[in-house]
Amino acid sequence: MKKFLNTADTFLPDALAGLAAAHPELRVDVDTGTVVRTEAPESAKVALVSGGGSGHEPLHTGFVGAGMLDATCPGQIFTAPVPDQMLAAANAVNAGAGVLFVVKNYTGDVLNFEMAADLALEAGIEVQTVLVDDDVAVQDSTFTAGRRGTGATVFVEKLAGAAAARGDDLATVADIGRRVNAASRSFALALTACTTPAAGRPGFDLPDDEIEVGVGIHGEPGRTRERLRPARELVSEAMEAILADHEALGAGDDTIVMVNGLGATPLSELYLVYGEVASYLSERGIRIARTLVGNFVTSLDMAGCSITVCRVEEPFPQLWDSPVRTPALRWGC
Amino acid sequence: MDTDLAHAWLLAVASSVEADRERLTRLDAEIGDGDHGTNLHRGFTAVRAALEEIHPESVGRVLVTTGTTLISRVGGASGPLYGTVFRTAGKRLEAPECDVAELAAALSAGYEAVCALGSARVGDKTMLDALHPAVEALTAADPTGGLAAAARAAAEAARKGAEATVDLQARKGRASYLGSRSRGHLDPGAASTALVFGALADVTSG
């Protein structure tokens, strides 16, 4: 393992200390395990709280700020945070207009956020939850924990965050979040495994000429292992899975598309992949209205990418374009 | 079981988890994300500290303190799941001490609660595949045979249940994303549950 760290045990607090030093507009509290906007609670605004295991940066800490999240509660690497953290985050940002929990669909995240929602309700905080489950690589939820929440989390946090910023009430903000999730699908490909600081070695062995297809964001192996092939063919496979699953999406539709790096893939490769995605959609008469290319939902040092496609409906474009000022997304302000 | 024995049981679980930390993490790396040992170790280290600080004065309070601490410190799925087993079982035990049948009934309630919380059942390749046979063995134990014999039977049942998860395909938790590729691996949650009952057998064997 080659990583910039002092000790594996202090990796997370040391990384959070750096985040705090770089971003004085965030209140980073290592004791309660929360990262909060300094402006929060913002009068009469619905507050957005998300969180999950660490190791996916910039998700979620990089999306705390005006127009997106009010607070997040980073857990241990790839481990859902505990209810106490979520409750502390909710308490720190609640302005009386209620709190929206944005939760990625993993057993640990769901269970801890459910417990936190119960505690928050007992404390008199109104809570709604949006569950993100966009990963089409997970098939047949009867035999699995259900689809994973991956790239669409960025879309949900941006669009629901914008709805909250313009003054929508909790039910409306939650509805926007659920609609964004329902309109989004993702698929991911890994070229290498990732290494957690605690494990010190890659999560799985992958020969130079093989890839994992349909991976999640926790270093777990994917749905299948395949030979490395030209990017065009790999993108086709991913896009076929997305379109096959997305019954509503077809010719004439507008989309928001994200090509997301998993942590160790150069931007040039991500743009190459984006080019293939754009061609693929164009050939099928599907327009791309908004684009995001970069590292947004990572899996530590995994090489690979994920593709997320959201079918646009009103008022997604307007919410997408509204100002956002966070460490990792910043425009219009 | 009296308070001291319950206390000793949870300390023994903490020691077992510490000793098997690497093995649990390795099992988890095969079909999950490789942190089960680390997370449970963090949780049971906190349990050890909480029990020493609070000194709960009944078997039930020992178990509730354990569960609450696990929920507050572990995170992931195992925090709420293990926390719920111990909290639910502990709440069923009001008297300072309990006999085998009462302990079995309490743990059975814990088992039911964790099934409901995780929407899982036996055969899904989870901790339930060790927990269920262990609770069954405790329930079926001869009430005149004493706790030690019942705990030995439960530990053996949990161990066998955990081993049987090797052939199962995961239907819950992160391993379920692997589909049929999850076969051939021991479930780390079932393995850690076997440690819990192994510790019970150890501390009751006198």
Side-chain angles (χ1 to χ4, degrees):
Chain A
M1 174 172 65
K2 267 189 186 169
K3 284 185 193 295
F4 292 112
L5 49 75
N6 297 312
T7 67
D9 286 343
T10 59
F11 180 80
L12 189 58
D14 288 353
L16 287 174
L19 179 78
H23 294 286
E25 72 276 20
L26 303 180
R27 276 204 311 270
V28 179
D29 186 335
V30 174
D31 290 335
T32 60
T34 55
V35 177
V36 182
R37 286 175 66 196
T38 45
E39 299 101 324
E42 197 175 327
S43 178
K45 189 183 91 69
V46 170
L48 264 72
V49 172
S50 191
S54 294
H56 308 303
E57 291 71 21
L59 188 85
H60 299 270
T61 49
F63 300 132
V64 178
M68 255 176 120
L69 299 176
D70 292 278
T72 181
C73 34
Q76 300 292 319
I77 299 286
F78 295 165
T79 299
V82 301
D84 312 42
Q85 285 173 269
M86 298 157 179
L87 184 63
N91 272 321
V93 299
N94 178 41
V99 175
L100 182 72
F101 284 165
V102 179
V103 183
K104 304 194 295 302
N105 188 35
Y106 299 94
T107 309
D109 293 272
V110 170
L111 295 181
N112 285 284
F113 267 107
E114 275 176 5
M115 288 183 167
D118 288 344
L119 294 171
L121 287 174
E122 282 171 22
I125 302 174
E126 198 185 350
V127 173
Q128 289 238 18
T129 297
V130 172
L131 196 61
V132 184
D133 60 347
D134 54 312
D135 183 3
V136 301
V138 179
Q139 293 171 318
D140 200 346
S141 60
T142 332
F143 297 103
T144 66
R147 287 180 169 175
R148 297 175 284 225
T150 59
T153 314
V154 179
F155 293 175
V156 170
E157 291 177 359
K158 172 67 185 85
L159 299 176
R166 73 178 181 184
D168 287 1
D169 64 16
L170 180 59
T172 309
V173 174
D175 181 59
I176 294 274
R178 291 183 189 121
R179 282 169 56 200
V180 172
N181 177 59
S184 301
R185 302 287 187 278
S186 295
F187 196 90
L189 304 157
L191 306 177
T192 67
C194 65
T195 300
T196 64
R201 56 193 165 85
F204 50 87
D205 297 318
L206 196 55
D208 271 356
D209 59 346
E210 292 184 8
I211 63 170
E212 284 281 338
V213 175
V215 290
I217 52 173
H218 299 94
E220 67 269 47
R223 194 165 72 176
T224 54
R225 181 169 290 195
E226 299 178 14
R227 306 288 288 186
L228 180 61
R229 284 168 286 142
R232 185 164 303 155
E233 290 176 30
L234 296 176
V235 168
S236 282
E237 182 174 350
M239 294 304 290
E240 272 161 28
I242 286 172
L243 262 62
D245 192 88
H246 206 323
E247 287 168 7
L249 180 63
D253 283 335
D254 281 333
T255 58
I256 304 172
V257 172
M258 177 171 75
V259 170
N260 168 61
L262 294 178
T265 294
L267 265 178
S268 52
E269 289 179 45
L270 298 181
Y271 276 112
L272 188 150
V273 167
Y274 179 78
E276 297 298 339
V277 171
S279 303
Y280 186 97
L281 290 174
S282 168
E283 284 162 17
R284 284 154 186 80
I286 298 170
R287 292 189 297 267
I288 301 178
R290 302 289 187 277
T291 292
L292 213 49
V293 179
N295 296 295
F296 300 102
V297 185
T298 60
S299 187
L300 290 173
D301 55 353
M302 178 176 268
C305 74
S306 66
I307 301 166
T308 302
V309 178
C310 174
R311 180 177 180 272
V312 165
E313 48 193 84
E314 288 306 319
F316 294 177
Q318 179 200 340
L319 294 173
W320 183 264
D321 294 340
S322 72
V324 58
R325 193 171 66 249
T326 71
L329 272 194
R330 190 176 287 244
W331 60 67
C333 57
Chain B
M1 175 178 276
D2 61 14
T3 307
D4 286 346
L5 187 59
H7 197 125
W9 174 26
L10 274 309
L11 294 187
V13 174
S15 299
S16 295
V17 166
E18 186 163 14
D20 273 23
R21 176 181 173 174
E22 298 296 327
R23 184 177 72 95
L24 294 175
T25 288
R26 200 170 58 242
L27 290 173
D28 191 28
E30 290 169 6
I31 54 172
D33 60 351
D35 59 9
H36 189 55
T38 310
N39 289 341
L40 276 195
H41 179 245
R42 182 175 61 251
F44 277 100
T45 301
V47 166
R48 187 187 281 154
L51 292 178
E52 274 159 19
E53 187 191 325
I54 297 169
H55 268 288
E57 288 181 353
S58 71
V59 173
R61 295 305 307 168
V62 168
L63 299 186
V64 168
T65 300
T66 298
T68 303
T69 306
L70 292 176
I71 289 171
S72 291
R73 296 302 291 276
V74 176
S78 41
L81 294 172
Y82 269 112
T84 296
V85 173
F86 283 111
R87 271 177 63 88
T88 307
K91 284 180 183 173
R92 293 285 292 261
L93 299 169
E94 286 177 6
E97 302 185 6
C98 66
D99 61 22
V100 175
E102 287 161 344
L103 181 65
L107 287 170
S108 180
Y111 162 78
E112 298 289 342
V114 79
C115 287
L117 182 66
S119 312
R121 47 188 187 176
V122 169
D124 285 347
K125 195 177 182 111
T126 69
M127 64 188 288
L128 297 177
D129 293 312
L131 182 59
H132 182 257
V135 170
E136 292 275 281
L138 272 185
T139 307
D142 176 358
T144 61
L147 181 57
R152 268 199 308 277
E156 182 61 12
R159 192 183 61 76
K160 282 187 180 160
E163 278 172 12
T165 63
V166 170
D167 298 329
L168 297 173
Q169 175 171 337
R171 287 194 293 251
K172 291 290 168 190
R174 236 172 246 170
S176 70
Y177 306 134
L178 297 179
S180 60
R181 290 174 87 186
S182 62
R183 286 187 205 274
H185 303 276
L186 185 67
D187 179 68
S192 57
T193 297
L195 291 182
V196 171
F197 287 94
L200 181 63
D202 288 345
V203 297
T204 54
S205 67

